[in-house]
Amino acid sequence: MHILITSGGTSEAIDSVRSITNHSTGSLGKVLAETALAKGHHVTLITTPTALKPAPHPNLRISLIRNVEELLAQMKQEVPQHQVLIHAMAVSDYTPVYMTGLDEAAKSRDLTTFLHQENQETKISSKDDYQVLFLKKTPKIISLVKEWNPAIQLIGFKLLVAVPTEELIQVARESLLKNRASMIVANDLRQIQNGQHQAYLVTNDQVLQASTKSEIAEMVLDSIE
Amino acid sequence: MHILITSGGTSEAIDSVRSITNHSTGSLGKVLAETALAKGHHVTLITTPTALKPAPHPNLRISLIRNVEELLAQMKQEVPQHQVLIHAMAVSDYTPVYMTGLDEAAKSRDLTTFLHQENQETKISSKDDYQVLFLKKTPKIISLVKEWNPAIQLIGFKLLVAVPTEELIQVARESLLKNRASMIVANDLRQIQNGQHQAYLVTNDQVLQASTKSEIAEMVLDSIE
């Protein structure tokens, strides 16, 4: 099969030297790609310049993106050409709009005016003691996947931090329905460390449990076969 | 000599999954450390987990930090024990204080109240269409170096973006005086690409020019000998 995998974390530029980054090493995406290749699939991996990557392989094509805008453009093009999407990338929720000193923001009677401003300087000045950064929500790419390719089998991911397991699974179920996914892999940052990676693989009729990245990869790939 | 080198870029956490990162691969710091080791110096390299690093060497000790707070603590300890500091790290100017929805910020009559708030949630909710992030200035570590060790020879760096050469050199001169540095290496992000790295090495009595990372490293190390 032709499998599209996304991995790593997007970065949204504040200016030419600073950005807001989503923590993600790309190590799960690497294992997912390697496992899929070992099973004979063709893999397209959309990832970031700094993410961990699998070794070159004749059935592997890697496409690099940095931010949500580039990811969106790339996925819109790739999703229709694949039978499966494993969307493991940590996608930034928000992207910077405008940054200014707190004094300037405090003087304004309407903060929404800053949403229409844009920093002209290439590196924002660091003279103010306090600054205010206005951010706007990025498009929810996972919700667009089925519009681009209604037949694609979609496996999504949900990362929460320090929540009860029931809540984690509940949030995964909601994402499953909302995004018409086949499976949502739900995990909690507190349960990812020292080579362990606890995850709940939530489908319409069951919840499977994995405890390492290799187990997650095996179980995700078994589910599509 | 015992040379302390800082390299890479600090990251300031917004919450447990997002952070503001200063772009820096650590490649100049790697070349600086390698060049210093080749000349027989002892090197302590303070860098970040993701930065490029030199190969292990009997005279090399590496210390990892992530954010400005950790960098400050580490440097306060190391600076008195070294004869030279080459401070090539891209240090974050600002660190997040509090993040909230734009609606909540707009309702407030005094934005400064948010400077005393702290996000209790481990992963800030992504329900609002717009968010506001309040940031405060980090301590200027370079200005503290001579207080910790008046005898240390300090080589600082200044990165600007798309400014005229005269301005770049002028800013370097100001930093040289203010921080009692022996040399400020001034560079412009637009002139760092494809293996080239234009830099102006500004001292009290001259301005030298380098055009690759190796040249910068050679000239910086010649200046301390």
Side-chain angles (χ1 to χ4, degrees), chain B residues 63-114:
Chain B
S63 166
L64 297 183
I65 60 91
R66 287 165 304 174
N67 55 36
V68 177
E69 191 182 355
E70 290 176 4
L71 177 65
L72 181 69
Q74 199 59 31
M75 287 185 72
K76 193 170 177 175
Q77 189 182 310
E78 297 287 356
V79 163
Q81 298 172 45
H82 289 81
Q83 296 155 279
V84 177
L85 165 63
I86 306 176
H87 189 32
M89 186 174 254
V91 183
S92 305
D93 291 326
Y94 290 90
T95 189
V97 175
Y98 185 68
M99 190 163 178
T100 188
L102 180 68
D103 292 347
E104 195 197 332
K107 269 188 291 187
S108 165
R109 305 185 71 164
D110 179 7
L111 290 183
T112 63
T113 59
F114 293 109

Side-chain angles (χ1 to χ4, degrees), chain B residues 4-5 30 35 41 44 53 58 65-66 72-73 103 111 113 157 160 164 166 172 191 210:
Chain B
L4 179 62
I5 300 176
K30 177 174 181 283
T35 308
H41 297 293
T44 304
K53 292 168 193 71
I65 60 91
R66 287 165 304 174
L72 181 69
D103 292 347
L111 290 183
T113 59
F157 284 73
L160 294 177
E166 305 73 51
Q191 296 182 316

Side-chain angles (χ1 to χ4, degrees), chain A residues 86-152:
Chain A
I86 306 176
H87 189 31
M89 187 173 254
V91 183
S92 306
D93 293 326
Y94 290 90
T95 188
V97 175
Y98 186 68
M99 191 166 181
T100 187
L102 179 68
D103 291 348
E104 195 197 330
K107 269 189 291 185
S108 166
R109 306 185 71 164
D110 178 7
L111 291 183
T112 62
T113 58
F114 293 109
L115 302 175
H116 309 291
Q117 295 197 41
E118 209 176 302
N119 292 99
Q120 297 305 325
E121 57 277 45
T122 44
K123 184 179 178 185
I124 298 165
S125 162
S126 52
K127 293 216 168 76
D128 295 285
D129 285 340
Y130 297 96
Q131 286 202 330
V132 185
L133 177 63
F134 295 88
L135 304 108
K136 68 173 177 196
K137 222 175 157 103
T138 57
K140 266 281 175 209
I141 291 179
I142 192 173
S143 71
L144 302 169
V145 169
K146 288 279 177 168
E147 293 180 24
W148 295 330
N149 181 355
I152 204 166

Side-chain angles (χ1 to χ4, degrees), chain A residues 110-219:
Chain A
D110 178 7
L111 291 183
T112 62
T113 58
F114 293 109
L115 302 175
H116 309 291
Q117 295 197 41
E118 209 176 302
N119 292 99
Q120 297 305 325
E121 57 277 45
T122 44
K123 184 179 178 185
I124 298 165
S125 162
S126 52
K127 293 216 168 76
D128 295 285
D129 285 340
Y130 297 96
Q131 286 202 330
V132 185
L133 177 63
F134 295 88
L135 304 108
K136 68 173 177 196
K137 222 175 157 103
T138 57
K140 266 281 175 209
I141 291 179
I142 192 173
S143 71
L144 302 169
V145 169
K146 288 279 177 168
E147 293 180 24
W148 295 330
N149 181 355
I152 204 166
Q153 199 175 330
L154 169 62
I155 290 122
F157 284 72
K158 194 85 205 177
L159 178 71
L160 294 177
V161 185
V163 297
T165 305
E166 304 73 51
E167 184 181 336
L168 196 57
I169 292 171
Q170 182 52 35
V171 169
R173 279 201 203 289
E174 286 163 18
S175 175
L176 195 72
L177 290 174
K178 198 164 64 179
N179 302 306
R180 288 175 279 159
S182 310
M183 176 185 278
I184 298 291
V185 180
N187 42 185
D188 187 312
L189 190 65
R190 301 272 166 102
Q191 297 182 315
I192 306 175
Q193 51 187 332
N194 307 324
Q196 293 298 104
H197 190 143
Q198 287 291 329
Y200 301 91
L201 289 73
V202 180
T203 60
N204 271 326
D205 48 16
Q206 61 181 349
V207 178
L208 300 170
Q209 243 188 293
S211 53
T212 63
K213 293 188 204 306
S214 302
E215 271 181 36
I216 297 172
E218 284 295 338
M219 289 162 79

Side-chain angles (χ1 to χ4, degrees), chain A residues 5-6 27-37 43 86 88 157 213 216-218 220-221:
Chain A
I5 300 176
T6 66
S27 56
L28 177 59
K30 177 176 181 283
V31 176
L32 283 162
E34 287 166 346
T35 308
L37 290 165
V43 174
I86 306 176
F157 284 72
K213 293 188 204 306
I216 297 172
E218 284 295 338
V220 164
L221 284 155

Side-chain angles (χ1 to χ4, degrees), chain B residues 23-225:
Chain B
H23 295 283
S24 173
T25 58
S27 55
L28 178 59
K30 177 174 181 283
V31 177
L32 283 163
E34 287 166 346
T35 308
L37 290 164
K39 288 178 189 290
H41 297 293
H42 285 74
V43 173
T44 304
L45 179 64
I46 302 181
T47 189
T48 67
T50 55
L52 288 173
K53 292 168 193 71
H57 186 287
N59 294 339
L60 172 66
R61 187 163 57 86
I62 294 184
S63 166
L64 297 183
I65 60 91
R66 287 165 304 174
N67 55 36
V68 177
E69 191 182 355
E70 290 176 4
L71 177 65
L72 181 69
Q74 199 59 31
M75 287 185 72
K76 193 170 177 175
Q77 189 182 310
E78 297 287 356
V79 163
Q81 298 172 45
H82 289 81
Q83 296 155 279
V84 177
L85 165 63
I86 306 176
H87 189 32
M89 186 174 254
V91 183
S92 305
D93 291 326
Y94 290 90
T95 189
V97 175
Y98 185 68
M99 190 163 178
T100 188
L102 180 68
D103 292 347
E104 195 197 332
K107 269 188 291 187
S108 165
R109 305 185 71 164
D110 179 7
L111 290 183
T112 63
T113 59
F114 293 109
L115 302 175
H116 310 291
Q117 294 198 42
E118 210 176 301
N119 292 97
Q120 298 303 324
E121 57 277 43
T122 44
K123 184 179 177 183
I124 298 165
S125 161
S126 52
K127 294 216 168 74
D128 294 285
D129 284 341
Y130 297 96
Q131 286 202 328
V132 184
L133 176 64
F134 294 89
L135 305 109
K136 68 173 177 197
K137 221 175 158 105
T138 56
K140 266 279 172 211
I141 292 179
I142 193 173
S143 72
L144 302 169
V145 169
K146 288 279 175 167
E147 293 179 23
W148 295 330
N149 181 356
I152 204 167
Q153 200 174 330
L154 168 62
I155 290 120
F157 284 73
K158 194 84 205 177
L159 178 71
L160 294 177
V161 186
V163 297
T165 305
E166 305 73 51
E167 184 180 336
L168 195 57
I169 292 170
Q170 181 54 32
V171 169
R173 277 199 205 291
E174 287 162 18
S175 176
L176 194 73
L177 290 173
K178 196 164 67 181
N179 302 305
R180 289 174 281 157
S182 310
M183 177 186 276
I184 298 291
V185 181
N187 42 186
D188 187 312
L189 189 64
R190 301 271 167 103
Q191 296 182 316
I192 306 176
Q193 52 187 332
N194 307 324
Q196 293 297 104
H197 189 143
Q198 286 292 330
Y200 301 91
L201 290 72
V202 180
T203 60
N204 271 325
D205 48 16
Q206 62 182 347
V207 179
L208 300 170
Q209 242 187 294
S211 54
T212 64
K213 293 189 205 306
S214 304
E215 271 181 36
I216 296 172
E218 285 294 337
M219 289 162 79
V220 164
L221 284 154
D222 283 350
S223 81
I224 64 166
E225 282 164 319

